[in-house]
Amino acid sequence: MYTIYREVHPPTGVEHCIECHFFDSCRKSLVVAAASALRVYELHSSKPEGARNGTGAQLVLAGEYQLYGNVQSLHKVQLSQTKRDTLLLSFKDAKLSLVEYDPENNDLRTVSLHCFEEDELSGGLVNNFHRPVVRVDPDGRCATMLVYGHHLAVLPFRHDVVFDEQEPTSPTTPSAGHTTKDFLPSYTVDLQSLTERVCNVKDIQFLHGYNSPTVFVLYEPIPTWAGRITLRRDTHCIVAISLNTSDHTSPVIWTVGNLPFDCCYALPVPRPIGGMVIVGANSLLYLNQSSPPYGVSLNSTAESTSNFPLRKQTALCITMDCSHAVFVSDEHFVATLRGGEIFVFTLVPEGMRGVRNILCEKVASSVITSCVCKLLDNFLFFGSRLGNSIVLSYTRKAHDFEDSLEASNKKRKVEQAIGEDLEDLEVYGMDAKTGPQLHTFKFEVCDSLLNIGPIANVTLGEPVFLSEEFTQGGIELELVACSGHGKNGALSVLQRGVRPQVVTTFELPGCTNMWTVFSKDDQDSSNSHSFLILRRQESTMVLRTGQEITELDALGFATQAPTVFVGNVGGGRFIVQVTCTDVRLLKGEQQMHFLPLDMGGGVKSCDITDPYGVILLVDGAIVLLELKEENGCASLAIEWPEVKKGSPIVVMSTYTDCSGLFTTEASDHQLTSAMVQPSPAVAKTSQSSVDEEDELLYGDIKQEKKEESSSVQQSSPHQQKTSHSKTHWCVICREDGSLEIYRIPDFQLVYCIRNFSTCRRTLIDSGPMSSSMPAAAPTSNEQSVQEVLIAGLGPEGTYPHLLALVDRELVVYKAFSHVQIQNPGHLHIRFSKATHKVLLSDRKSSKVPSPSSQPDGTDSKDEHIFVPRLRQFRDVGGLNGVFICGPYPHWLLMSHRAALHIHPMSIDGEVISFAPFHNVNCPNGFLYFNSEGELRICVLPSHLSYDSYWPVRKVPLKNTAHFVSYHMESKTHAVITSVATPVTMVPRLNGDEMEQMDTVERDEQFPYPSEKKFYLQLYSPQSWEVVPHTKFGLEHLDRVTSMKVLRLRSQETLSGRKEYIVVGATTVCGEDVTCRGKILIFDVTEVIPEPGKPLTKHKLKCLYNQEQKGPISALESVEGLLLSCMGQKIFMWHFKDNKDLVGVAFIDTEIYVHTAHALKNFILIGDVTRSVQLLRYQENLKTLSLISQDPLPANVYACGYVIDGHQLSFIVSDDQQNLMLLQYQPELPESCGGLYLIRRTDFNVCAHVNAFFHVQSRSSAPLGASREVKQMMTDKRHVTFLAALDGRIGLVLPIVEKMFRRLHMLQIRLAQGLPHTAGLNPKSYRMFRSSQPILYCPQRNMLDGELLWQYTQLSWKDKTDFAKQIGTTPTQILEDLKEIDKVTAHF
C-alpha cells in the first residue's frame, strides 16, 4: 500500500519564546517556536472603547516560517556590523543553525550551520535523551550548546571591525550574507574531563559581569530521588567554567557542592547584583562567587529533605517544579508555577554583590506556561503548550512608608525580615533608603494566542447550526477535541470550511454577476445597502433592498443592456453604473449624468477607487472617470490617459492605499536601513476573549481597579499615530505577462514587473520599460493571468496584498517596504509570495480559459465582458478580506492579528458571483449565486472564530478533559473530565486489600499532593452547556482509563443494537495493594423536559457498575459484544438484559494493552511495549484467537486502520513520533506463514500522535459531473486523520502506485533542489527513529505532503524544470495534488 501524509492543521502549542530585534534595531519583536513553526509577532497598541486597561496591546503576526525540524532551543545574538539580531535554533540530535531576517526577500536567511553529531561526541548513544540547550553570553562573545549531555559546543563570535587575513573556518561554513569574519572556529569542551567531573547536567547558564565568558553548570553527579533522601540527599553541585575562545582552554574557577536534591534550573541575575538563582522544587538559592550562599525554603518539606542552611519563610507554601521565571528588573523576577500562579520574587541586596533576603508575593493567576519572556519594559508573554498563550501588562509601584499606618506596618515587617539595624536610621535618617523599597505589581491581560493542543482525544459529531439547504448533498461532520490541561482545559469544536447560515433563497436563473450599492442621504447614517443589481446575459435587474426585496421599474438605471460594473463614489452618496456603451451617475434612483462610450469596441471591465473610476475597453484603451461636484450638482469628468505602449492590456484593477506603504518618497530611516512594513494602526479587539483570560488571571485574588492614565508610558508598544492620506493606484497586466502600477490621476508609471506570470518568489521593480525594448512574446508553456487585484487587508486595510489568478491558480503576494535606489520616482516596495496550500483549478474538467471567457461556461452575447472572481468585501460578520468565486470557493481573511487565513466553502458547490450585503434582516451578511442559479442570502455563524487555521469554537471547561465521544441517538457528547484535589488521606492496608482511608495531618506549610476526581458529563452541541442532571462523579481513587460510546446488543431496538456509554476505570492504591478496575455502563434516556429548560430532555441512567478483577485499560465493541482489556488479559462480555455482563471469551496477550480498535470481528490491540497484535473473534466457537503480531518492539501511543478498497493496513504511532503501516500478508516468506505482520511504511511526523479516526474519501469526479459519474469515481478508500499533542492535525491517504512513483521522484528532486530554511534536510526529518538498535531496514512507502505542496508555490520556470527532471509536466503534477486535495476535503 502506498500512502501520502499531509498536515492540514499546523501546531499551535508554544514551547519557546524570546524577544529580539528581528527586523531591525529600531523595533522589538516576539519570536515564538511551536514545534516546527517559527512565528514572529509585534506588539501594537490597542485601546478598545470601554476597555478597562489603560495599556492595551495586542500581538500582530509579522512573519511565519515552517522548518523541517522541531525547535529544541531558541536564543538570540547580535553579530558585528548587523542591524538586527540573529536567531540560534537547535535541533535534534545536536544541530545548531543561525538564521536572520532577509530584508531583500522578506524571508529567513541561513547564516551559519553547525553539526556536532560525531560518534566520539555521542558516545555510542542510539537515542539522545538530552535536549540541546543553547545559551548566549550576555555580552555576545560566544554561544554554547549542550551536546549529548556531557559536551559543550562553543561557538565564538568576533566583534572586531577589520581583519586583514582570512581566519580558518570551522567544518561548517556560514552562508552568504555573513563572512567567516563574524565567527571563530567552533570547538567542544568535554565536561567529564574537567577537574570536576560533570555529568547529569540539569542546566547551563552564562554569568553576568565576568571579563571572560563564564558558563555556570548545574549538575547532579550521583542521582537520587525522594524515596532515598534518608540515605542520600543534597546531591546537586555547580561549577563555573571560564571559556577562553582564543586558545580553547576551559579552567574551572568556582565550585559549590551539597545543594538540595530537587534543584530544577538556574536563573542568572543581571548586574549590578550578579550571581545565580537556583530554583528548586522546595527552595530558592542564591549563589555568588564573592559572597556566601543564601537560601530560603518555600514549604516545610525543604527542611526535612535538605541539610543546606535555608531561611524559613512564614505563611508560604508553594512548589517550584515545572515553573518558569524571568527577571523584570535588576532585583525582581516573575515566576509562574505549575498551577498557573504568578509570583514576584524580590532579591534584597547586601552591598554590591550579595543578597540577604528573598521576598515572595503572589500577584495573580494565569495559564499553565511552558516559556516566559519580557516584552518591552512593562509587558510579559506567557507561552503555553497546555492552553492559550497570553500577553500581560504589569505596573510596578513603590510604597511610600510614610503614607499610612498600614504602610508603616509593612515596613516594619520588612525591616524585621531583613534584620536591618534601626540605629542606621537614626544616623543616616529616613531619606538614606538603607533598605529596599517594597513594590506592588499589578497584572492585566492584553491579548491571547489560540491553542487547541494538546489534543488528548477526538470524536466526530454532527453540526447543529446547519441550514436545510446543505443537508441534501451528504453528511457534514465537525471535530470535537479534548484540549488543554487543568484550568486551561477546553473542548475545541473544529470545522475545516465555512458553513454559512442561509437566511433565504431565491431562484433566479441566468444571472452571471451582481453588485450591492449604498444610496446614502445627508441625514442617513445607516450603512445598509439600498440596491441589488443583477446582470443577466442581455439585460439587468435592479432590486431595492429594505424590509423586503422588490424589483424596480426602469428609472435611472439601465436595464435593457447587461451591466459591466456598479459601484459607489462620493462616500456612498452616488452610484456609477457602467454598461458596454455608456456610463451613468445616479443618486438613488435618479440619474444625474450620462456619458456615452462609442469608442474602443465596448467596455470590458471597470473598477472604482473613490472618487475615480477606471474603465478598460475591449481594444485595450484606458478611460479615467472623476466625480465632480459643483453648486450641488454632480457629474463625471472623462479623461483618456496615456499608458505606456506595449503588449495589449488584459486585466485591470484599482487600489486605494491607506497604509502609507505605496509611496515614491523614502524617509530618512528607510534610506539608512531597509525595513519591512511599518506597524499599522490596529482596530478594536474582541473584549470577550480578554474577559475570559482576566478570569484566569485574577482568580480569587482581589485587585484594585487601575486608574487610567492619560499620559503615554515610555514603554508603550509600537504605535502608529500618523494618519496617512489616501492615495489611488491602478494596476494593469498585459498579455505578455508583465504587470504595471500607475498613479491616479496623472497615470505615471511607478512600478513595473516583467514576466509577472512566472510567479517568482519575490517581485522586484524592473524599472521603466523603454519604448525600443521589444516586448516578450507569450509562449505556449507560459502561464496566463486571468485576474489581478491589490487589496488592503486587515481591519483598516493597512496590509496591502497582491492577488492574482494565474493559470486559474491563486497567487498571493505581500507588499513590504524596500528602498528603490536604481529607479527614482518609483514605489519603494517589493512583493514576497505568501505561502498557502489552496488549489483552485480542476484540470481534468476543462482547459484553461482565456481572461475574457465566461467562468461559468455559458454562451453570452457579450463575451468580452470580464467577470471577476476575486471579490473584496468589508465587514462581513465583522471580517474583511477577499472572496474567491469559482468551482472551489474560498474565503481569504485577515483580522486584527494580521494573519492570513484561507478557508474553503465547498458545502454548496460552485459559486458564480458574490457580494457583501448589509440589511435590517441580514446584518453584515453576504449574497452569492451557486451553479444551480439560486441566490442565497446568508450570514456567517457568529459562534466560530475565523482568526485561526480552521474555524474553531473553544468551549472552556476549567478542568482537564480526557475523553469525548458522540452519542448519536441523543445527539449529545459524553465527556470525561477531572478536577485536581489535594490528597489528605492515605489507605490503610489489610493484606492485599484496602481497609479504610486514614486522614493525614500536616502543618500549614506542607504541600499536599493532588489527585484527580473524575466526572462523566453530557454536553449539548447547541449551546455547549452541561445537560442538567447528567453529571456523574466516580468514587475516590477511581481513575478513568477509557470511555467510548459503543453499540451493544439489545432487545429494545429493531436493529438489535443500542448505543451505550461505557466507562472503564482503574483503582490504584500503591504497589502493596492489588490494582482493581471497574466497568460502568450508562444509557441516555429521553424524558419530558422541564418548562423553559429544553436541555433537560435527556437523563443519564447507570445500568451497570461493578468491580472487576483487574484494571480496565481499554474498551471496544465487537459484533455487539463488549471487549474489555485488563492489563494483559482480554475478555469478551455480553451485556444481558441491561443488568449484567456475561463472559463469552478471553485471551492472554503480552504486557499491558491500553488501546483497542475493532473492524467487524477483527481486533487490533496496542501494547505499551510490544507493538500491536491482531485478534479475531469467532462467533460460532465463542473464542478469541491471535492471528498475527508485529515482531519488532514499539511503545504504542495509538493505533487505527487504513482502508484502500480491498486492502487493509494497520497504522500505529509510538513514543518516537513514528507512524508505521503494517499489513497481514501470510503469502510472504518473511511473515512466517502469517505469524508476523509486515511493515510497509515507516514515517516520522515529529509529533506524538494520540488519536486516529477515519472517514470515507470524497469523490474525485470533476466538478459538474452527474451523480452516476460521481458514484462510479467514488472509491472505497478511507482518509485516516490523526491528532497530535502539539495541536497539529494530519491525514494519511492511500494512493495508486503510478501516482506514488511520480510524486516520489518529485519529492526526491525537491529535497535536493530547493533551499531549505536553517539548512534542515526534509529526508532526515521524516526518517524512522528507534529507541534501541534493531536489525531492520525502514520502509519508505509514504510521501511527505508538506514537501510536495511546496511545488505549488514555485515559479513557472522552476515547476517546468522539476517536471522535466522526472519526465512529466507541471499540469500532471498539479492534477495529482488537486485530486489528493479534493478527496480529502472533509469537515
Side-chain angles (χ1 to χ4, degrees), residues 940-955:
L940 286 178
S942 58
H943 61 275
L944 294 174
S945 172
Y946 299 94
D947 186 21
S948 56
Y949 299 98
W950 284 15
V952 61
R953 177 179 183 178
K954 198 167 183 180
V955 183

Side-chain angles (χ1 to χ4, degrees), residues 45 62 88 119 274 631 641 690 769 863 951 982 1193 1235 1282 1301 1378:
S45 64
L88 291 91
D119 293 338
N631 301 325
V690 177
M769 295 182 61
E863 295 181 355
L1235 181 61
L1282 54 92
R1301 299 297 181 190
K1378 180 58 184 178

Side-chain angles (χ1 to χ4, degrees), residues 1276-1296:
K1276 296 182 180 180
R1277 58 179 172 174
H1278 285 215
V1279 185
T1280 302
F1281 288 86
L1282 54 92
L1285 294 180
D1286 56 7
R1288 81 178 73 196
I1289 300 175
L1291 62 86
V1292 175
L1293 175 71
I1295 58 177
V1296 297

Side-chain angles (χ1 to χ4, degrees), residues 97 249 374 412 459 521 643 698 857 873 938 965 1052 1094 1196 1382:
S97 299
T249 59
K374 183 183 176 184
R412 282 196 295 269
T459 188
D521 299 331
V643 183
Y698 293 107
F873 63 86
C938 310
S965 188
E1052 299 179 0
V1196 176
K1382 187 162 48 175

Side-chain angles (χ1 to χ4, degrees), residues 161-187:
V161 180
V162 178
F163 289 88
D164 296 332
E165 299 181 359
Q166 181 71 27
E167 291 289 341
T169 60
S170 60
T172 55
T173 58
S175 63
H178 283 268
T179 63
T180 54
K181 296 181 180 180
D182 293 327
F183 308 93
L184 290 172
S186 61
Y187 64 95

Side-chain angles (χ1 to χ4, degrees), residues 495 497-501 876-877 879 891 893-895 899-903 939-953:
Q495 295 179 1
V498 177
R499 298 166 181 168
Q501 293 182 1
V876 173
L879 300 172
W891 294 77
L893 305 173
M894 179 177 287
S895 65
L900 187 67
H901 299 297
I902 304 179
H903 304 308
V939 294
L940 286 178
S942 58
H943 61 275
L944 294 174
S945 172
Y946 299 94
D947 186 21
S948 56
Y949 299 98
W950 284 15
V952 61
R953 177 179 183 178

